[in-house]
Amino acid sequence: IGKAEVEAYIARVAEPARTALEKLRAIIRAAAPKSATEEITYRIPSFNYKGSLVSYAAFKKHCSFFPMGSSAIEELAEELAGYRVTRGTIHFPLDKPLPKALVTKLVKACVARNEARSRKAD
């Protein structure tokens, strides 16, 4: 159900945001563990791995990437300097290529965060 809902969300998004979201989803999927699952959470696509991992959404002039907390944003603050960043969101403008290496680092930081939380809970 989750993956189909995500695909339906992306299909409703107008270009050029749809292509950007498809690329963002592929980068996240490649960086996340194989056991990560997809679903719609808070009406936007999300990946889960040992809890909420990351979410993303399309807007008129940017894609938003939600690392589900501020730790990854703080950890990679220098590399995020060229992007609009709010407390829990990173905006990737649609008129520029997606920063694949940066998104990969963000996802891996979120995986590490969730794994650390999971170890503490055990």
Side-chain angles (χ1 to χ4, degrees):
I1 291 176
K3 189 175 177 183
E5 290 173 331
V6 170
E7 288 170 357
Y9 172 95
I10 292 171
R12 289 190 300 271
V13 174
E15 290 295 358
R18 181 183 314 136
T19 297
L21 278 189
E22 288 169 345
K23 287 178 184 172
L24 189 55
R25 180 185 187 201
I27 294 166
I28 296 166
R29 186 183 287 136
K34 297 284 179 232
S35 60
T37 59
E38 291 182 81
E39 66 182 20
I40 297 292
T41 307
Y42 301 109
R43 296 185 293 186
I44 60 173
S46 302
F47 277 82
N48 292 300
Y49 170 75
K50 298 187 182 210
S52 295
L53 186 65
V54 299
S55 296
Y56 58 99
F59 295 90
K60 192 171 184 176
K61 295 186 179 185
H62 71 276
C63 286
S64 284
F65 180 87
F66 305 90
M68 308 313 281
S70 60
S71 61
I73 292 172
E74 291 164 7
E75 189 178 319
L76 297 166
E78 282 185 30
E79 293 180 61
L80 291 167
Y83 299 94
R84 182 163 184 263
V85 177
T86 64
R87 208 168 56 135
T89 311
I90 301 155
H91 295 197
F92 295 118
L94 293 176
D95 61 353
K96 294 188 175 122
L98 273 169
K100 182 178 180 180
L102 179 56
V103 172
T104 298
K105 284 182 185 179
L106 287 161
V107 173
K108 296 216 178 270
C110 293
V111 167
R113 174 203 63 213
N114 283 14
E115 286 177 343
R117 281 185 191 159
S118 177
R119 281 192 298 275
K120 284 181 187 171
D122 287 345

